[in-house]
Amino acid sequence: MDQTPEEGPPEVAAALDELATGMIRHLMSDRQGLSLTIAAALIRLERDGPIRLTTLATAVGLAQPSTTVLVQRLEAQGLASRVGDPGDGRVRLVAITDAGRELLAERRRTRDARVADMLTALPEQDVQALGEAMRTALPIVRRMLRAAMPRTTSGGSAT
């Protein structure tokens, strides 16, 4: 299928950027006390399970000393804990706690409610069209994101 100039990779990239930026700006206007860095760390811990501090530092884009401070803060708030590495008893991994999972779940519920509220301002046919577009686009975007992410092993080290 031939691509017209309006739908080539640069145009699709620009449209995705506009979509992501617009939604993030709207949804992050009320962060429920979570910085983007804390949220990113908790999401990574939730998704990947217990990981090494160095892996978490790379994932959230911080230097290791800053990540140590971040993890100490998460521990003090009961959102993360350090656990032993089953493969190497000398190594401590960082894990999300049940309280951290619940905080992320509440954050998602709040964001979902905000988006649902935004959708009520649209005509029903727009909501249906957006739903259809999301059913098509979301699996594709998920594959794109998986392909762009470094793979990790159980200890959280990149493969």
Side-chain angles (χ1 to χ4, degrees):
M1 174 163 107
D2 289 332
Q3 290 182 337
T4 63
E6 298 83 34
E7 54 188 43
E11 291 77 20
V12 172
L16 284 170
D17 180 64
E18 180 183 346
L19 172 70
T21 302
M23 291 303 295
I24 288 169
R25 280 189 183 140
H26 179 76
L27 294 175
M28 295 309 291
S29 63
D30 176 22
R31 293 185 262 167
Q32 298 177 300
L34 283 185
S35 72
L36 289 175
T37 304
I38 289 174
L42 289 173
I43 290 166
R44 180 68 185 246
L45 293 172
E46 181 183 52
R47 186 187 72 217
D48 293 345
I51 58 175
R52 292 177 181 254
L53 188 87
T54 53
T55 303
L56 183 59
T58 301
V60 297
L62 294 176
Q64 188 170 339
S66 298
T67 306
T68 298
V69 172
L70 172 68
V71 169
Q72 289 169 343
R73 200 159 123 211
L74 292 173
E75 286 178 304
Q77 294 173 349
L79 303 174
S81 64
R82 295 185 202 232
V83 298
D85 183 343
D88 184 347
R90 301 168 294 172
V91 175
R92 303 288 288 166
L93 303 176
V94 183
I96 191 169
T97 63
D98 289 341
R101 281 187 185 84
E102 181 52 38
L103 180 65
L104 287 179
E106 178 59 31
R107 186 172 181 257
R108 287 181 187 110
R109 286 189 293 270
T110 300
R111 287 189 330 217
D112 289 350
R114 289 182 77 185
V115 173
D117 188 51
M118 290 169 58
L119 291 170
T120 63
L122 297 176
E124 182 60 31
Q125 74 182 57
D126 286 355
V127 174
Q128 289 177 357
L130 189 54
E132 185 176 321
M134 292 307 302
R135 281 188 296 280
T136 300
L138 191 56
I140 296 167
V141 170
R142 284 178 176 154
R143 285 194 307 271
M144 182 178 69
L145 292 171
R146 275 194 305 271
M149 249 187 271
R151 294 167 41 149
T152 60
T153 60
S154 64
S157 58
T159 57

